[in-house]
Amino acid sequence: MEKIPILRMGPFLLVTIQVDLYDRLALNLEADLIKTISDTNAKGVLIDISVVSIVDSFMGRIIGNIASMSKILDAETVVVGMQPAVAITLIELGLPLTGVHTALNVERGMELLRAKVNLDDYSSSEDEDGYEPDDQRDY
Amino acid sequence: MTIHLAKMRMGMSQMISVITKQSMLIQQDQDVVPFRNRVKECAVKLKMGLVNQTKLITAASELVRNMLKYGRGGQVVIEAVSKRNQFGVRLIFIDKGPGIPDIALAMKDGYSTGKSLGLGLPGTKRLVNEFDIESAVGVGTKVSIIKWCNG
């Protein structure tokens, strides 16, 4: 079974959808993501759909669900990189994705997340994971 | 049913000629991705623009889901067609499911017997140029759509 990876980046989760979505895969992503938010105490989720060539009503609904579910778990969701043709199609289909924050690209999406999330009260299990916030390596 | 079909063929195929034709069985969720790819290939061959391609594939995705969800799978015919000087892709979805008792109601925005948003059929209709549906309770449903390259 294919799986969409969920990367952790400090207080945020990063999901880049690189494959063609079908319903079961989208449903699994929804479940995985919500579980990961709860496990890692994440404050924000960034979903990059720049290589997704179609979003139909089901996937649109899943995106909306993820946003509402993470909101309940005190995490903000930003969807970034939607292709123009996908945006046109979604609106004609009748799915305006209200309630989902969007940004043009990953960079702006991260800015938006940082602006939305108050990180003062963020405490994670960083030490247990051996996560080094002061890592100065060049990536 | 046969009279119905004959009538539909006359209505829709008049002046429409089929250039290529292929057929696919859709039985499970995973069949959807290869099916979408075949539709895309067909649209690309006809040099359909990206926005129209996206609309067509999204419409196809909606209809194939309906077929899987309500019709327990079925058959899809993918055709490159032409009418006068225009070219396009025709998709025909045939299932032997329970059928739709009230097509007018099913075509209404926001109506669904499942747990979905009820955008499938009406949304699909907005995305394509020609949309034809016929259904008989207990026999099955047949949906036929055309997206013209310049439509």
Side-chain angles (χ1 to χ4, degrees), chain A residues 1 20-25 53-59 61 83-86 88-89 91-95, chain B residues 29-30 32-33 36-37 50-51 54-55 57-58 61-62 65 109 115-117 119-120 123-124 126-127:
Chain A
M1 184 88 203
D20 281 317
L21 278 176
Y22 51 87
D23 295 5
R24 172 106 328 252
L25 196 59
S53 53
I54 73 149
V55 176
D56 67 9
S57 68
F58 187 85
M59 299 164 215
R61 182 161 65 116
Q83 293 178 11
V86 172
I88 294 171
T89 304
I91 297 306
E92 284 202 14
L93 189 63
L95 207 73
Chain B
D29 212 20
Q30 280 96 319
V32 172
V33 174
R36 287 200 302 236
N37 291 340
L50 186 61
V51 173
T54 307
K55 287 181 185 176
I57 300 166
T58 307
S61 189
E62 296 289 344
R65 172 173 310 105
D109 256 318
K115 280 186 288 181
S116 63
L117 297 171
L119 286 172
T124 303
R126 284 192 291 268
L127 293 176

Side-chain angles (χ1 to χ4, degrees), chain B residues 17-33:
Chain B
S17 48
V18 177
I19 305 162
T20 64
K21 179 175 181 166
Q22 52 176 322
S23 145
M24 260 184 102
L25 276 180
I26 306 285
Q27 276 152 339
Q28 50 176 334
D29 212 20
Q30 280 96 319
D31 296 339
V32 172
V33 174

Side-chain angles (χ1 to χ4, degrees), chain B residues 79-114:
Chain B
E79 292 174 333
V81 293
S82 72
K83 185 167 105 180
R84 290 190 211 101
N85 287 332
Q86 49 180 357
F87 293 91
V89 177
R90 173 161 67 186
L91 303 174
I92 305 167
F93 301 79
I94 305 153
D95 72 56
K96 295 189 171 66
I100 304 168
D102 188 343
I103 290 178
L105 188 61
M107 291 301 298
K108 252 172 81 176
D109 256 318
Y111 176 80
S112 174
T113 55

